Structure formats: structure tokens, C-alpha cells
Amino acid sequence: MMATKANTALDDFLQWMRNADITWDAHLMEIRKGSAGWLDPGWGVFAKRDLKEGERLCVIPKRSVLSIKTTAIKDIIEVERLRGGLALVLAATYEKARGKESFWYDYFQSMPDREYVPIFWTKEEMDLLKGTDIERKAEEDRDATEEDFESLVAPVLLKYKERFEKCDITLSAFRDVASLVGSRAFFVDEEHGEGLVPLADVFNHKGAVVSLTSEYEVEGQLASSDDDDEAPSEVDDIDGGEPCNDDDRNENPTGSCQEAGGSSGDDGLIGGRESNLENMKGGSKPSILKDDSSKPIDPALRLEIGICSTEINGEDALEIIMASEVKADAEIHNTYGELPNSDLLYKYGFALDSNSFDTVNIDKTSMLENSKAIVGDKEAQRRRKFMKKHSYLMSKEDEPFEIFADGVVCPALSVALRILAAPKETFRKWKSIEDATKATIDNEEWDFSEPEPVSKLGSVVGVEGLMCLRRTLEGRLATYSTRSLAENRENLKSLRESENRSMGCCAEIGACVLRISEIEILECTLKCIDDTVSSSLKARELSPTNGIDKDSKKRKPENGLDMDWCRKRKHLFLQVD
């Protein structure tokens, strides 16, 4: 019965697309039951034969896209100067509430009522996220959407009550549609902005590097901060600094092709009003991050499709083209960006068992607190003020402290650890962030713009920095609802073997996959820290002079590590005998 219902819904959707003049090459692709998700309909797009880069799969007229320029209330949106995610959510909520009177009625029938993202999870399900990167985000989303609805949407509904009287637009309906928009919206062009693009949102996600070959011009990418002459906005500091200045910027350069054909996944689409969206472009304070677009791409992570603006028979349209080869009968995937599981679960309601882009974000407040045990309270505060003055390292949103797979840490975290744990006499010499990021190791200048493995990090942050990181990671591990990797893996196996296909079960699976991916990264990094210190200690024992400088009678540092400091605290290192 369920299969029959799903087939009927698919047939209705296909017919609606034909009526909307959306075309696809039936010799190249077909839509059928996909691999994504546990809930119906779970469609996907599959290759009918071997596909090559550059082949066109389908064409979607822009008039069939649901955007602020095609909705029946576009005049209200323009008069009220609504924009961005909030405007699109209101437009989509209105069109969905109109039922069969809406041009997009059958399109909405092809979707679930809502995406079961954490904002809709029960308290018991939310408890499963304890310790993860998204533990508190859902509650913040609920508050934000309620505030946006009451302060921005409700007044519009009241002002134009005659236009909205046949539509039951409630906070609940607004949130439901916000979840659909947040997980499906694509950047269309400068005129339409974000929009719901029929057929494009049927392509399921896979992890992929968001990079097209040089023949494609990118549409919808934010301008590089290197070309931005505007002054930087003030950002929130971890101890509650000045609020962010909102300049309502919404700049996207127009080209011909959007990378990955990707869904925007903009936090603001769920989080509410456009005025709350923060534009974190760089400014006078230097960024620690570096563009790695020149690095070779793993074939398994290649982008499969791209969405391009085009004109066909004098009409503006979008076309979906192949960005790489796909074998016959294989599913053709979209990518929502180079996102870790925390973002995938938060925005789209699922997580991947093997995600090359997985990260763990380290809480900056915890890092600062743990540094106090090493340099003292007053000294830690001096260093926080130094970073706040000369960089964005201590802001809540900019320069996240990320740890990647295999014990690799991001540049921002490396620099913060160096500053937080530096010897007092060294720190006193630094007058800028540039001073702090000058280091010479083995006669070579250290590059602080690149991610580095923990095994090398001790050379520039010292054992004090490694200990600060270690204490922070141990504290993070203690917060998870289920700490043991073995227990989490057993739980995941049981959930997948169960016949339960409820939304609650999907939530449990997503939370379990997220916990596993984060705990694996944390435990791997801890082991790397312990191995680094243990190896240094053993090398010290084997030294012909047993680590004693005959002239100074003091222990020499090994690769920047203070060995006496290590020995006195070796009980804190799991693998130091």
C-alpha cells in the first residue's frame, strides 16, 4: 500500500513537472526510489547509461521556481521590503497554505510535511545530542523562529488580512515550511535570490569537494574577503563582547554556473529573519584560514552535478549538467557543500557514516578555562584580550577551533594554543598576531595558515599547549550522552536492524552517527597527543647525554617540548610509562 501511494505521488509529480515545462532527458536519467532516508518517498536520480562531464540532464524554467519573484504575494514582499530566507519562507508558507489554488500544489505534495530536523525533535531525542556540536542549536532555532514570526510575519498577516484570510498561516506551519526551505533552497540568480527548484531537490546528497573546473563560472558564491573594502563588523566575543553590527548586506556575484548545484543550507532559512543573519567577511584583522582550492581532489569526492543559468528560446532557465562521470545505474548525487555531520544533521536531518569533511568544534570558553591551569587566571585573561584586539580568534562565530580526522587541527586552533600557552617572556614580546605566528622550526618558517597534525604541533605550542588541548578534549568527551564508542556502534547496529522506520528512529540514528564521528575524532586526537609526548620522552631517554646540557646543566627542550614539565605531569598522558 505504501509503495502504491509513493508511486502515485511520483507519477503526479512527474506530470506536474511536464505541465510546468520542466524537461529531462529520459535516455540519461530516471527518478525512482533512492538510497536516502527512511521515510517515504525517498526518491533519487539514477543514470540510465554511463554519463560524461558536460552532458545536460534537465532544464527548469525559472518561472517554475518558487521564489520571492514568482509567488502570488511578491507585491507584498516588495512593499514590506522582506528579503532573504525570511521572505522565501513566508512565500512558500503562503503557497503551501493555498492548497490546490497554488501553482506549486503538486510540487508540495511530493515533499514531506516537514523535514524532521532537530528543531522538531522531542526532549528525549534532543538529549541524544548532548555533548555534540549542535547540542543547543535546536532550542536557539525554536526561539528565533518564534521571535521572527511574532515580530515580522504576524504584522504582515494582519496588515494584509484580506489576502491571507483563506490561508491558515501559523507559527507551526511557518516552522514546517522553514525546514523544507532550509533543506532544499538553491541560489537561483540575483533577481530571484534563493528559491525552491523543482527536480533539482530530488538529487540526494553525497560528500563532495565544492569545486568546478575552470570552464564554469560560479554563481551564488559569496565575494572573497580579499576584495571587500568595507570595514569589518564587530563580532561577539566569548565573554559577551559588543553585539554584531548588521549592515544587511546580501551580495552575490552573478556568473553562469552554481557550484555543486548545491542547496544553500543557510542558517537564516531556519533561524528566521534576514536581519539576524551575520555576514562574517574579513576586514582589517587578519584571517588565519587559507584557500586550499589548488589541492588535487580525491575522485571519490568529485562533484557530480552543477546548476547553470541559461536562456532557451528567449526564456530564462536553469539547467543541470554533469560535472563528472557517473556509471550506468548509479545514483547521481548533489552536494550541499563540504559539510561535517553536525551541519548535515542540523540542517537536513541525516548524517553520513563516512564523511571526509567531519570536524569537531572546540568550545573557546573551555579552551580559555583550561589555559588558566597552565598560565594562571590573570595571564590567561591577558592573552584573551590580546587575541580579541588583534584577531577574530576569540569571537563566537569567526575562526572556529576545529579538529579534523587523524588528529589534524585547524590553523586558528594552532595559533590560539600558541598564544594561550606561550612562556610569559615570549608572550610579552608579541605586539601583533603576526608576531605570534612567526616561528622557525628546523631552520624553516612555520606556516600557520595550514592545518597541521598534532604530532607536529608540539614544536610550536610546546607541551603546555598540548596539555591545554588535551584537558579540553577530555572535558568534551565527558559530556556525551553515550561516551563509549563500542556502545554507540552497538546501538547504531541495533537501530538499523530494527523494523522501526519512524521519525524518532531516524533521529536516534542521526544522533548516534554524529556521536560516533565526533568521538572518533576526539579519541584519535588524544592518542596523537599521548604518542607525541611519549615518543619525545623515549627519545630523551635514549639521548647520549640523557638530555643534559653540559654547559647549562639544564634539560634541553626536545622539538619545543619541555621534558621536565612532561615528566612531572606524565600521569596525565595515557601512554607515558
Side-chain angles (χ1 to χ4, degrees):
M1 185 71 176
M2 184 67 73
T4 302
K5 181 180 178 181
N7 291 337
T8 301
L10 178 56
D11 290 340
D12 290 344
F13 176 55
L14 294 177
Q15 185 57 52
W16 175 84
M17 288 198 294
R18 293 186 187 100
N19 295 339
D21 296 326
I22 297 172
T23 60
W24 59 96
D25 193 328
H27 298 291
L28 302 183
M29 56 164 278
E30 67 173 335
I31 302 173
R32 55 182 167 86
K33 188 73 174 179
S35 60
W38 290 45
L39 304 176
D40 238 26
W43 302 330
V45 180
F46 292 81
K48 294 289 290 292
R49 62 165 173 78
D50 290 352
L51 301 179
K52 298 180 180 180
E53 179 180 350
E55 291 192 282
R56 185 170 70 186
L57 298 179
C58 49
V59 176
I60 305 159
K62 290 185 180 179
R63 56 181 163 80
S64 69
V65 170
L66 175 49
S67 74
I68 61 173
K69 294 299 182 181
T70 57
T71 176
I73 57 169
K74 64 180 181 179
D75 57 325
I76 294 176
I77 289 174
E78 289 175 0
V79 170
E80 296 301 320
R81 301 179 67 183
L82 301 176
R83 56 195 292 276
L86 177 71
L88 179 57
V89 172
L90 176 58
T93 304
Y94 172 73
E95 295 296 342
K96 190 171 189 291
R98 292 178 69 198
K100 293 184 178 181
E101 293 184 10
S102 173
F103 171 76
W104 293 277
Y105 172 74
D106 287 314
Y107 175 42
F108 279 113
Q109 294 303 110
S110 74
M111 305 180 196
D113 291 334
R114 65 186 183 187
E115 299 292 350
Y116 199 58
V117 291
I119 190 175
F120 301 115
W121 289 14
T122 65
K123 182 182 182 304
E124 291 74 19
E125 291 162 355
M126 285 301 302
D127 287 342
L128 300 173
L129 296 175
K130 185 178 179 183
T132 69
D133 279 351
I134 59 174
E135 178 180 359
R136 290 177 290 275
K137 284 187 176 181
E139 186 175 348
E140 293 170 357
D141 257 357
R142 292 191 190 103
D143 293 341
T145 50
E146 182 173 1
E147 177 187 350
D148 295 336
F149 185 83
E150 297 299 334
S151 63
L152 297 172
V153 176
V156 173
L157 300 179
L158 181 61
K159 183 176 180 179
Y160 300 92
K161 58 183 179 181
E162 292 183 0
R163 296 276 296 274
F164 290 103
E165 63 181 355
K166 294 183 179 180
C167 302
D168 185 22
I169 299 180
T170 63
L171 172 60
S172 177
F174 181 78
R175 279 178 172 159
D176 288 349
V177 175
S179 71
L180 297 176
V181 171
S183 62
R184 293 168 179 264
F186 293 78
F187 181 83
V188 180
D189 57 28
E190 287 297 330
E191 180 184 5
H192 292 265
E194 301 282 342
L196 293 177
V197 183
L199 184 53
D201 55 11
V202 179
F203 291 83
N204 291 314
H205 170 82
K206 80 158 192 172
V209 176
V210 184
S211 178
L212 290 172
T213 57
S214 58
E215 300 95 72
Y216 302 104
E217 291 182 39
V218 178
E219 176 174 5
Q221 284 296 102
L222 287 176
S224 168
S225 60
D226 293 338
D227 300 324
D228 185 4
D229 295 328
E230 297 188 39
S233 60
E234 290 297 319
V235 292
D236 289 348
D237 184 66
I238 60 168
D239 63 347
E242 292 299 317
C244 176
N245 290 332
D246 198 325
D247 55 11
D248 283 337
R249 286 175 289 185
N250 187 26
E251 301 172 0
N252 287 301
T254 302
S256 63
C257 194
Q258 178 178 347
E259 283 189 340
S263 170
S264 68
D266 196 329
D267 289 351
L269 299 178
I270 295 292
R273 65 185 177 191
E274 181 72 1
S275 59
N276 275 338
L277 300 183
E278 296 178 351
N279 190 328
M280 293 299 180
K281 293 182 178 179
S284 60
K285 297 179 183 179
S287 172
I288 305 300
L289 305 180
K290 183 178 181 179
D291 179 17
D292 285 336
S293 59
S294 61
K295 291 187 176 181
I297 298 174
D298 183 337
L301 298 177
R302 284 209 63 186
L303 196 65
E304 292 183 4
I305 63 170
I307 294 185
C308 299
S309 284
T310 187
E311 185 177 299
I312 297 179
N313 297 326
E315 181 177 26
D316 290 336
L318 297 171
E319 60 179 357
I320 297 181
I321 62 173
M322 294 302 300
S324 62
E325 296 181 358
V326 172
K327 295 296 184 181
D329 205 42
E331 185 168 4
I332 308 168
H333 292 93
N334 177 25
T335 182
Y336 303 158
E338 299 171 15
L339 302 177
N341 274 340
S342 54
D343 282 351
L344 290 175
L345 185 60
Y346 173 60
K347 298 175 181 179
Y348 307 109
F350 68 89
L352 302 174
D353 286 334
S354 180
N355 187 346
S356 299
F357 306 108
D358 253 339
T359 64
V360 174
N361 278 287
I362 302 303
D363 182 68
K364 296 183 178 184
T365 303
S366 297
M367 184 72 73
L368 181 63
E369 286 300 312
N370 283 307
S371 73
K372 293 178 180 179
I374 296 172
V375 298
D377 289 5
K378 291 184 178 180
E379 193 63 28
Q381 288 303 322
R382 288 192 187 98
R383 293 160 195 236
R384 181 196 65 79
K385 291 178 181 178
F386 174 86
M387 287 187 283
K388 182 179 179 181
K389 178 179 179 181
H390 297 289
S391 72
Y392 289 123
L393 286 170
M394 286 290 103
S395 75
K396 289 181 179 179
E397 301 297 333
D398 272 4
E399 308 286 14
F401 291 175
E402 294 178 314
I403 298 181
F404 312 109
D406 300 322
V408 175
V409 302
C410 74
L413 179 53
S414 297
V415 176
L417 286 171
R418 178 169 169 82
I419 294 171
L420 288 172
K424 187 181 297 185
E425 59 275 12
T426 301
F427 174 70
R428 292 288 189 271
K429 297 177 182 178
W430 294 338
K431 304 301 180 184
S432 67
I433 202 73
E434 288 80 4
D435 291 341
T437 54
K438 289 178 181 177
T440 302
I441 306 298
D442 296 330
N443 297 320
E444 291 187 9
E445 187 174 338
W446 186 273
D447 185 0
F448 278 99
S449 65
E450 293 281 356
E452 291 289 353
V454 165
S455 58
K456 295 183 179 179
L457 196 60
S459 301
V460 291
V461 305
V463 73
E464 294 86 350
L466 292 179
M467 285 305 301
C468 180
L469 178 58
R470 193 183 197 289
R471 291 166 62 96
T472 305
L473 301 189
E474 284 285 10
R476 170 68 176 270
L477 278 171
T479 64
Y480 284 93
S481 58
T482 304
R483 165 68 177 82
S484 165
L485 265 180
E487 186 177 348
N488 275 301
R489 287 168 177 156
E490 187 61 34
N491 289 344
L492 181 60
K493 180 181 178 182
S494 298
L495 287 167
R496 285 179 167 160
E497 290 175 349
S498 169
E499 295 182 359
N500 185 351
R501 294 297 183 269
S502 66
M503 290 186 292
C505 187
C506 287
E508 287 188 71
I509 289 175
C512 196
V513 172
L514 177 59
R515 290 197 304 271
I516 290 171
S517 62
E518 291 190 355
I519 292 172
E520 284 178 339
I521 290 176
L522 292 170
E523 290 195 346
C524 176
T525 306
L526 282 170
K527 185 178 185 303
C528 289
I529 293 173
D530 296 340
D531 287 348
T532 299
V533 176
S534 179
S535 297
S536 297
L537 285 172
K538 290 176 181 178
R540 195 65 176 167
E541 289 294 337
L542 295 175
S543 171
T545 60
N546 198 29
I548 301 296
D549 185 327
K550 294 180 179 179
D551 296 326
S552 65
K553 303 300 183 183
K554 293 181 180 179
R555 290 192 175 273
K556 297 177 182 177
E558 176 93 11
N559 293 327
L561 301 179
D562 183 333
M563 307 313 298
D564 278 333
W565 199 94
C566 282
R567 292 183 179 284
K568 292 176 182 177
R569 296 159 177 80
K570 67 179 183 179
H571 61 284
L572 298 176
F573 295 92
L574 296 180
Q575 298 186 15
V576 175
D577 299 327

